């Protein structure tokens, strides 16, 4: 199995950890570990791993010690528990940043900077503006081209990060250019980074209702009653449409403006058979 620092979900880690240890020793079991942490129920750990029960932050260090994690691994494990069971986006983001710090102490590592890239909306906006051409180290002009406008220091910060991530390059004439026309998150970017980025762009969408003229935006909503089969079909259609939009964008040879395209589709009621 992978080392603990490659996990962000403590349940996934425990699932793989117990599977490996059981293969190595027939004496290793949920029951034995439960006894070590003072839990009588033999099903307690299996309930936690399956997501039926939460692991308390008070008990997490005891469990980490029982499965013989090192001090650093134990700290990381407790933070994973905090991250996995966080109930709000702010709590989850804070916990994820602490996980990242524990996993990789090098602040210039690629993984952490990719997280940072998606954590602030204006990094992607600056990259798209660069795709229009003519961007130099004139930070004030670059900052003024974004909507809403950012500060010159944020513009400079964006260029620095994009260069470090090799997402842009500087041409001989002193202007910047994109290295690739399209950018997607991919599976290597942690979900928390994507969640933070999506939350930020949703905030921008809300602001655009009052700051952007109607003829320059398209925001509509629809509420509906559907079943699970229709939900699956709609999600597939949305995915296909998103790919079509990306293909159209990549075929544009002379872009003049950067846009953010969000698709938001989520339940606004519980399942009719779900307990209240």
């Amino acid at each position: 199995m992978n080392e603990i620092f490659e996990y962000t979900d403590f349940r996934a880690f425990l699932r793989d950890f117990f599977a490996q240890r059981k293969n190595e020793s027939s004496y290793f079991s949920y029951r034995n570990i439960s006894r070590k942490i003072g839990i009588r129920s033999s099903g307690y750990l299996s309930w936690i791993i399956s997501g039926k029960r939460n692991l308390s932050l008070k008990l997490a260090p005891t469990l980490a010690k029982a499965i013989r994690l090192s001090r650093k691994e134990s700290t990381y494990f407790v933070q994973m528990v905090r991250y996995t069971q966080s109930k709000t986006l702010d709590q989850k983001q804070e916990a994820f940043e602490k996980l990242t710090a524990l996993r990789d102490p090098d602040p210039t590592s690629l993984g952490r900077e990719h997280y940072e890239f998606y954590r602030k909306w204006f990094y992607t906006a600056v990259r798209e503006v660069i795709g229009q051409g003519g961007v130099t180290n004139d930070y004030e002009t670059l900052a003024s081209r974004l909507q809403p406008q950012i500060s010159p220091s944020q513009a400079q910060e964006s260029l620095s990060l994009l260069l470090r991530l090799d997402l842009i390059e500087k041409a001989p004439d002193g202007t910047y250019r994109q290295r690739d026309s399209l950018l997607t998150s991919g599976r290597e970017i942690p979900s928390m980074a994507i969640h933070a980025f999506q939350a930020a762009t949703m905030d921008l969408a809300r602001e655009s209702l009052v700051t952007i003229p109607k003829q320059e935006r398209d925001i509509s909503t629809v509420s509906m009653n559907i079943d699970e089969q229709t939900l699956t079909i709609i999600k597939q259609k949305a995915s296909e449409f998103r790919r079509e939009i990306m293909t159209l964008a990549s075929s544009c040879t002379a872009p003049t403006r950067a846009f953010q395209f969000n698709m938001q589709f989520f339940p606004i009621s519980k399942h009719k058979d779900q307990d209240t």
Side-chain angles (χ1 to χ4, degrees):
M1 63 173 286
N2 297 327
E3 65 174 8
I4 188 172
F5 301 105
E6 296 183 30
Y7 292 85
T8 56
D9 186 334
F10 82 94
R11 291 189 173 94
F13 165 74
L14 288 177
R15 189 181 303 114
D16 292 348
F17 178 85
F18 276 95
Q20 177 176 307
R21 294 301 302 273
K22 284 182 179 180
N23 287 333
E24 296 172 350
S25 173
S26 59
Y27 296 101
F28 192 86
S29 66
Y30 290 151
R31 182 185 297 274
N32 288 337
I33 298 300
S34 294
R35 288 175 178 173
K36 287 184 178 182
I37 62 177
I39 301 298
R40 294 182 179 180
S41 173
S42 59
Y44 179 76
L45 285 176
S46 63
W47 293 337
I48 289 176
I49 292 173
S50 66
K52 295 179 180 179
R53 293 280 297 274
N54 280 340
L55 176 63
S56 71
L57 290 174
K58 182 178 181 179
L59 189 59
T62 306
L63 176 56
K65 183 177 180 179
I67 60 177
R68 298 184 178 180
L69 297 180
S70 68
R71 178 177 297 181
K72 183 177 180 180
E73 290 172 337
S74 296
T75 301
Y76 188 85
F77 178 78
V78 173
Q79 199 59 44
M80 269 202 300
V81 174
R82 190 185 305 276
Y83 167 72
T84 305
Q85 297 178 169
S86 294
K87 295 182 179 180
T88 69
L89 182 61
D90 288 342
Q91 291 174 348
K92 213 168 186 66
Q93 181 171 318
E94 179 183 358
F96 181 80
E97 290 176 348
K98 291 181 179 179
L99 276 181
T100 305
L102 288 167
R103 177 169 45 195
D104 188 353
D106 180 5
T108 63
S109 70
L110 185 63
R112 176 176 292 196
E113 293 204 335
H114 268 101
Y115 168 72
E116 183 66 17
F117 174 73
Y118 280 101
R119 195 168 71 89
K120 297 182 180 180
W121 70 269
F122 54 82
Y123 291 147
T124 56
V126 167
R127 183 179 180 277
E128 295 309 315
V129 169
I130 289 172
Q132 300 167 21
V135 174
T136 66
N137 283 335
D138 183 349
Y139 306 125
E140 290 188 5
T141 298
L142 174 58
S144 67
R145 292 179 63 178
L146 267 64
Q147 192 171 6
Q149 183 172 323
I150 62 175
S151 68
S153 62
Q154 289 173 325
Q156 182 178 10
E157 173 188 333
S158 301
L159 290 177
S160 178
L161 178 64
L162 292 170
L163 284 170
R164 290 198 301 271
L165 293 179
D166 204 27
L167 295 174
I168 62 172
E169 61 185 1
K170 199 168 188 178
D173 63 358
T175 62
Y176 292 96
R177 60 192 179 193
Q178 294 180 353
R179 291 190 60 85
D180 295 294
S181 60
L182 284 178
L183 181 69
T184 57
S185 61
R187 295 184 178 181
E188 71 279 5
I189 305 299
S191 60
M192 187 58 239
I194 307 305
H195 293 166
F197 177 73
Q198 291 169 338
T201 58
M202 287 179 185
D203 287 340
L204 290 177
R206 183 172 61 248
E207 291 179 13
S208 73
L209 288 171
V210 295
T211 61
I212 306 296
K214 187 175 182 180
Q215 64 270 22
E216 297 182 12
R217 57 174 170 79
D218 188 301
I219 298 178
S220 60
T221 61
V222 59
S223 303
M224 64 190 77
N225 278 317
I226 57 175
D227 56 21
E228 297 304 316
Q229 181 179 0
T230 306
L231 171 62
T232 300
I233 295 173
I234 291 177
K235 290 174 67 176
Q236 290 173 346
K237 294 287 186 182
S239 180
E240 293 170 3
F241 180 58
R242 185 168 56 248
R243 286 195 294 269
E244 290 179 10
I245 293 295
M246 292 175 67
T247 300
L248 283 172
S250 64
S251 65
C252 181
T253 58
T256 59
R257 195 173 185 183
F259 279 82
Q260 177 68 37
F261 179 70
N262 287 359
M263 296 178 65
Q264 301 169 12
F265 184 53
F266 50 88
I268 55 175
S269 75
K270 294 182 179 179
H271 193 286
K272 68 176 183 179
D273 296 326
Q274 183 177 346
D275 293 336
T276 58

